[in-house]
Amino acid sequence: KQEVTQIPAALSVPEGENLVLNCSFTDSAIYNLQWFRQDPGKGLTSLLLIQSSQREQTSGRLNASLDKSSGRSTLYIAASQPGDSATYLCAVRPLYNQGGKLIFGQGTELSVKP
Amino acid sequence: GAVVSQHPSWVICKSGTSVKIECRSLDFQATTMFWYRQFPKQSLMLMATSNEGSKATYEQGVEKDKFLINHASLTLSTLTVTSAHPEDSSFYICSARDLRLAGGDSYEQYFGPGTRLTVT
């Protein structure tokens, strides 16, 4: 059974710092991995999607890497800003036919202090 | 980009009543929609997969008679919480899969803004 774990559960950093969020999954048979942002009481905003054949994806100050064999992904945020404060979720789509569902980690709650 | 809406955004109901939540894909057709539930400080848990024109597939432990799902068109799926109780209070989020990208490597799910259900 696929399980997704995110560490740390919460993180507080001063503005301007670079930071790394971690995501691990127990079964390397994945179709893709996706990072989301969730603001309090809101839905999900997709940040980056990495296909299983890819090693990383970049969007602006965000860079996500994927090491499928070791079951790990990281989300790197450069020059953090207070507006980056949110909960960050990673999710994997299992490779074998499970209807395309996503399995989520419990998230990392990020707070960037001005 | 692909947009998914949910209605209502929040609802308060009394214990024992039923509540219907709508999920719509606004600018694309979705053969498959997913319903998730999120309790405070917890992650999203898939409840069921909703397929247009067929019965929904429920995850283990989710009562299909309590959470009724109807996916009558390519742009609308509804979740009805029947005989709601306080323990059903949660944040319900739907997502939709774009038919045009189905089968392609760029498959992606698009998420709605969520519905906050409070049962008193």
Coordinates of all heavy atoms in Angstrom, one line a residue, chain A residues 31-32 34 36 38 41-44 46 49 51 89 93 98-102 104-107 109, chain B residues 32 34 36 38 41 43-44 46 49 59 91 93 97 103-109 111-113 116:
Chain A
Y31 N 3.2 7.0 -11.4 CA 3.0 7.6 -12.8 C 3.6 9.0 -12.8 O 4.3 9.4 -13.7 CB 1.5 7.6 -13.1 CG 1.2 7.9 -14.6 CD1 1.3 6.9 -15.5 CD2 0.9 9.2 -15.0 CE1 1.0 7.1 -16.9 CE2 0.6 9.4 -16.3 CZ 0.7 8.4 -17.2 OH 0.4 8.7 -18.6
N32 N 3.3 9.7 -11.7 CA 3.9 11.1 -11.5 C 3.7 11.5 -10.1 O 3.1 10.8 -9.3 CB 3.2 12.1 -12.5 CG 1.7 12.2 -12.2 OD1 1.2 12.2 -11.1 ND2 0.9 12.3 -13.3
Q34 N 3.2 15.2 -7.8 CA 2.7 16.6 -7.9 C 2.8 17.3 -6.6 O 2.6 16.7 -5.5 CB 1.2 16.6 -8.4 CG 0.8 17.8 -9.0 CD -0.5 17.6 -9.8 OE1 -1.0 16.5 -9.9 NE2 -1.1 18.6 -10.3
F36 N 1.5 20.6 -4.4 CA 0.4 21.6 -4.4 C 0.6 22.6 -3.2 O 1.3 22.3 -2.3 CB -0.9 20.9 -4.1 CG -1.4 19.9 -5.1 CD1 -1.0 18.6 -5.1 CD2 -2.2 20.4 -6.1 CE1 -1.4 17.7 -6.1 CE2 -2.7 19.5 -7.1 CZ -2.3 18.1 -7.1
Q38 N -1.7 24.9 -0.5 CA -3.1 25.1 0.0 C -3.1 26.2 1.1 O -2.4 26.1 2.1 CB -3.6 23.8 0.6 CG -5.1 23.9 1.1 CD -5.7 22.7 1.7 OE1 -5.0 21.8 2.2 NE2 -7.0 22.5 1.5
G41 N -8.3 27.1 4.6 CA -9.7 27.1 4.2 C -9.9 27.2 2.7 O -11.0 27.4 2.2
K42 N -8.9 26.9 1.9 CA -9.0 27.0 0.4 C -8.7 25.7 -0.2 O -8.3 24.7 0.4 CB -8.0 28.1 -0.1 CG -8.2 29.5 0.5 CD -9.5 30.1 0.1 CE -9.6 31.5 0.6 NZ -10.9 32.1 0.3
G43 N -8.9 25.7 -1.5 CA -8.6 24.5 -2.3 C -7.1 24.4 -2.6 O -6.3 25.1 -2.0
L44 N -6.8 23.5 -3.5 CA -5.4 23.2 -3.9 C -5.0 24.0 -5.2 O -5.8 24.0 -6.1 CB -5.2 21.8 -4.1 CG -4.9 20.9 -2.9 CD1 -6.1 20.9 -1.9 CD2 -4.5 19.5 -3.3
S46 N -2.1 23.7 -8.0 CA -1.0 22.9 -8.4 C 0.3 23.8 -8.7 O 0.2 24.8 -9.3 CB -1.4 22.2 -9.7 OG -0.3 21.4 -10.2
L49 N 4.3 19.5 -11.5 CA 4.0 18.0 -11.7 C 5.3 17.4 -12.4 O 5.8 18.0 -13.4 CB 2.8 17.9 -12.6 CG 2.3 16.5 -12.9 CD1 0.8 16.4 -13.1 CD2 3.0 15.9 -14.1
Q51 N 6.7 14.0 -14.1 CA 6.4 12.7 -14.6 C 7.5 11.7 -14.1 O 8.6 12.1 -13.7 CB 6.4 12.7 -16.1 CG 5.4 13.6 -16.8 CD 4.0 13.2 -16.4 OE1 3.6 12.1 -16.1 NE2 3.1 14.2 -16.5
L89 N 1.6 20.4 -0.1 CA 1.2 19.0 -0.1 C 1.9 18.3 -1.3 O 1.9 18.9 -2.4 CB -0.3 18.8 -0.3 CG -1.2 19.3 0.9 CD1 -2.6 19.5 0.5 CD2 -1.1 18.3 2.0
R93 N 0.6 9.7 -8.0 CA -0.3 8.9 -8.7 C 0.2 7.5 -8.9 O 1.3 7.4 -9.6 CB -0.7 9.5 -10.0 CG -1.7 8.7 -10.8 CD -1.9 9.2 -12.2 NE -2.7 8.3 -13.0 CZ -2.9 8.3 -14.3 NH1 -2.3 9.3 -15.0 NH2 -3.6 7.4 -14.9
Q98 N -5.5 2.4 -10.8 CA -6.3 2.7 -9.6 C -7.2 3.9 -9.9 O -7.5 4.6 -9.0 CB -5.4 2.9 -8.4 CG -4.6 1.7 -8.0 CD -3.9 1.9 -6.6 OE1 -4.4 2.5 -5.7 NE2 -2.6 1.5 -6.5
G99 N -7.6 4.0 -11.1 CA -8.5 5.0 -11.5 C -7.9 6.4 -11.6 O -8.7 7.4 -11.8
G100 N -6.6 6.6 -11.5 CA -6.0 7.9 -11.6 C -6.0 8.7 -10.3 O -5.7 9.8 -10.3
K101 N -6.3 8.0 -9.2 CA -6.4 8.8 -7.9 C -5.0 9.2 -7.5 O -4.0 8.7 -7.9 CB -7.1 7.9 -6.9 CG -6.2 6.7 -6.4 CD -6.9 6.0 -5.3 CE -6.1 4.8 -4.8 NZ -6.8 4.0 -3.8
L102 N -5.0 10.2 -6.6 CA -3.8 10.7 -6.0 C -3.8 10.3 -4.6 O -4.8 10.3 -3.9 CB -3.7 12.2 -6.1 CG -3.7 12.8 -7.6 CD1 -3.6 14.3 -7.5 CD2 -2.5 12.2 -8.4
F104 N -2.0 11.5 -1.1 CA -1.4 12.7 -0.5 C -0.6 12.4 0.7 O -1.0 11.6 1.5 CB -2.5 13.7 -0.2 CG -3.1 14.4 -1.4 CD1 -4.1 13.8 -2.1 CD2 -2.6 15.7 -1.8 CE1 -4.6 14.5 -3.2 CE2 -3.2 16.3 -2.9 CZ -4.2 15.7 -3.6
G105 N 0.4 13.2 0.9 CA 1.1 13.3 2.2 C 0.3 14.3 3.1 O -0.7 14.9 2.7
Q106 N 0.7 14.4 4.3 CA 0.0 15.2 5.3 C 0.3 16.7 5.2 O -0.3 17.5 5.9 CB 0.2 14.6 6.7 CG -0.5 13.3 6.9 CD -0.6 12.9 8.3 OE1 0.4 12.9 9.0 NE2 -1.8 12.5 8.8
G107 N 1.3 17.0 4.4 CA 1.6 18.4 4.2 C 2.7 19.0 5.2 O 2.9 18.4 6.2
E109 N 3.4 22.7 6.8 CA 2.9 24.0 7.0 C 4.0 25.0 7.1 O 4.8 25.0 8.1 CB 2.0 24.1 8.3 CG 1.2 25.4 8.5 CD 0.3 25.3 9.7 OE1 0.1 24.2 10.3 OE2 -0.3 26.3 10.0
Chain B
T32 N -13.9 11.9 -15.6 CA -13.7 11.4 -14.2 C -13.5 12.5 -13.2 O -12.8 13.5 -13.5 CB -12.4 10.5 -14.1 OG1 -12.5 9.4 -15.1 CG2 -12.2 10.0 -12.7
F34 N -13.0 13.3 -8.9 CA -12.7 12.6 -7.6 C -13.2 13.5 -6.5 O -13.2 14.7 -6.5 CB -11.1 12.5 -7.5 CG -10.5 11.8 -8.7 CD1 -10.1 12.4 -9.8 CD2 -10.3 10.4 -8.6 CE1 -9.5 11.7 -10.9 CE2 -9.7 9.7 -9.6 CZ -9.3 10.3 -10.8
Y36 N -12.7 14.2 -2.4 CA -11.8 14.0 -1.3 C -12.4 14.7 -0.1 O -13.2 15.6 -0.2 CB -10.4 14.7 -1.6 CG -9.6 14.1 -2.7 CD1 -9.8 14.5 -4.0 CD2 -8.6 13.2 -2.4 CE1 -9.1 14.0 -5.1 CE2 -7.8 12.7 -3.5 CZ -8.0 13.1 -4.8 OH -7.3 12.6 -5.8
Q38 N -11.2 16.3 3.8 CA -10.0 16.8 4.5 C -10.4 17.3 5.9 O -11.2 18.2 6.0 CB -9.3 17.9 3.8 CG -8.0 18.3 4.5 CD -7.3 19.5 3.7 OE1 -7.9 20.3 3.1 NE2 -6.0 19.5 3.7
K41 N -6.2 20.0 9.9 CA -4.7 19.6 10.1 C -4.4 18.3 9.5 O -3.4 17.7 9.9 CB -4.4 19.7 11.6 CG -4.5 21.1 12.2 CD -3.6 22.1 11.6 CE -3.7 23.4 12.4 NZ -2.7 24.4 11.8
S43 N -4.4 15.5 5.9 CA -4.3 15.6 4.5 C -5.6 15.2 3.8 O -6.6 14.9 4.4 CB -3.2 14.7 4.0 OG -2.9 14.9 2.6
L44 N -5.6 15.3 2.5 CA -6.8 14.9 1.7 C -6.9 13.4 1.6 O -5.9 12.7 1.3 CB -6.7 15.4 0.3 CG -7.1 16.9 0.1 CD1 -6.0 17.8 0.6 CD2 -7.4 17.1 -1.4
L46 N -9.0 10.4 -0.3 CA -9.9 10.1 -1.4 C -11.1 9.3 -0.9 O -11.0 8.3 -0.2 CB -9.3 9.3 -2.5 CG -10.1 8.9 -3.7 CD1 -10.5 10.2 -4.5 CD2 -9.4 7.9 -4.6
T49 N -14.3 7.8 -6.6 CA -14.0 8.2 -8.0 C -15.3 8.2 -8.7 O -16.0 7.2 -8.7 CB -13.0 7.3 -8.6 OG1 -11.8 7.3 -7.9 CG2 -12.7 7.7 -10.1
E59 N -13.8 4.3 -2.0 CA -12.7 3.8 -1.3 C -13.1 3.0 -0.1 O -14.3 3.1 0.4 CB -11.8 4.9 -0.8 CG -11.2 5.7 -2.0 CD -10.2 4.8 -2.8 OE1 -9.2 4.3 -2.2 OE2 -10.5 4.7 -4.0
F91 N -14.0 19.4 5.3 CA -13.8 20.1 4.0 C -13.8 19.2 2.9 O -13.0 18.2 2.9 CB -12.4 20.9 4.2 CG -12.2 21.9 3.1 CD1 -13.1 23.0 3.0 CD2 -11.1 21.9 2.4 CE1 -12.9 24.0 2.0 CE2 -10.8 22.9 1.4 CZ -11.7 23.9 1.3
I93 N -13.4 18.4 -1.1 CA -12.8 18.9 -2.3 C -13.0 18.0 -3.4 O -12.8 16.8 -3.3 CB -11.3 19.2 -2.1 CG1 -11.0 20.1 -0.9 CG2 -10.6 19.8 -3.3 CD1 -9.6 20.3 -0.6
R97 N -10.6 15.4 -14.1 CA -9.6 15.0 -15.1 C -10.0 15.5 -16.4 O -11.2 15.2 -16.8 CB -9.4 13.5 -15.0 CG -8.3 12.9 -16.0 CD -8.3 11.4 -15.8 NE -7.4 10.9 -16.8 CZ -7.2 9.6 -17.0 NH1 -7.8 8.7 -16.2 NH2 -6.4 9.1 -17.9
G103 N -5.1 9.9 -21.1 CA -4.2 8.9 -21.8 C -2.9 9.5 -22.1 O -1.9 8.8 -22.4
G104 N -2.8 10.9 -22.1 CA -1.5 11.5 -22.4 C -0.6 11.6 -21.2 O -1.1 11.5 -20.0
D105 N 0.7 11.8 -21.4 CA 1.6 11.9 -20.3 C 1.4 13.2 -19.5 O 1.9 13.3 -18.4 CB 3.0 11.9 -20.8 CG 3.4 10.4 -21.3 OD1 2.7 9.5 -20.9 OD2 4.4 10.3 -22.0
S106 N 0.7 14.1 -20.1 CA 0.5 15.4 -19.3 C -0.7 15.3 -18.5 O -1.2 16.4 -18.0 CB 0.5 16.5 -20.3 OG -0.6 16.3 -21.2
Y107 N -1.3 14.1 -18.2 CA -2.4 14.0 -17.3 C -2.3 14.8 -16.1 O -1.2 14.8 -15.4 CB -2.6 12.5 -17.0 CG -3.5 12.3 -15.8 CD1 -4.9 12.1 -16.0 CD2 -3.0 12.3 -14.5 CE1 -5.7 11.9 -14.9 CE2 -3.9 12.1 -13.5 CZ -5.2 11.9 -13.7 OH -6.0 11.7 -12.6
E108 N -3.3 15.5 -15.7 CA -3.3 16.3 -14.5 C -4.7 16.4 -14.0 O -5.7 16.5 -14.7 CB -2.7 17.7 -14.8 CG -2.4 18.5 -13.5 CD -1.6 19.7 -13.8 OE1 -1.0 19.8 -14.9 OE2 -1.5 20.6 -12.9
Q109 N -4.8 16.5 -12.7 CA -6.1 16.7 -12.0 C -6.2 18.2 -11.7 O -5.2 18.8 -11.2 CB -6.3 15.9 -10.8 CG -6.6 14.4 -11.1 CD -6.8 13.6 -9.8 OE1 -7.3 14.2 -8.8 NE2 -6.4 12.4 -9.8
F111 N -8.3 20.9 -9.3 CA -9.0 20.9 -8.0 C -10.0 22.1 -7.9 O -9.7 23.2 -8.3 CB -8.1 20.9 -6.8 CG -7.4 19.5 -6.6 CD1 -6.4 19.1 -7.4 CD2 -7.9 18.6 -5.6 CE1 -5.8 17.8 -7.2 CE2 -7.4 17.4 -5.5 CZ -6.3 17.0 -6.2
G112 N -11.1 21.8 -7.3 CA -12.0 22.8 -6.9 C -11.6 23.6 -5.7 O -10.7 23.1 -5.0
P113 N -12.3 24.6 -5.3 CA -11.9 25.4 -4.1 C -12.4 24.8 -2.8 O -12.0 25.3 -1.8 CB -12.6 26.8 -4.4 CG -13.8 26.4 -5.2 CD -13.4 25.2 -6.1
R116 N -16.9 23.8 2.7 CA -16.8 23.5 4.2 C -18.2 23.2 4.7 O -19.1 23.9 4.6 CB -16.3 24.8 4.8 CG -16.4 24.8 6.4 CD -15.3 23.9 7.0 NE -14.0 24.4 6.6 CZ -12.9 23.7 6.8 NH1 -12.9 22.5 7.3 NH2 -11.7 24.2 6.4

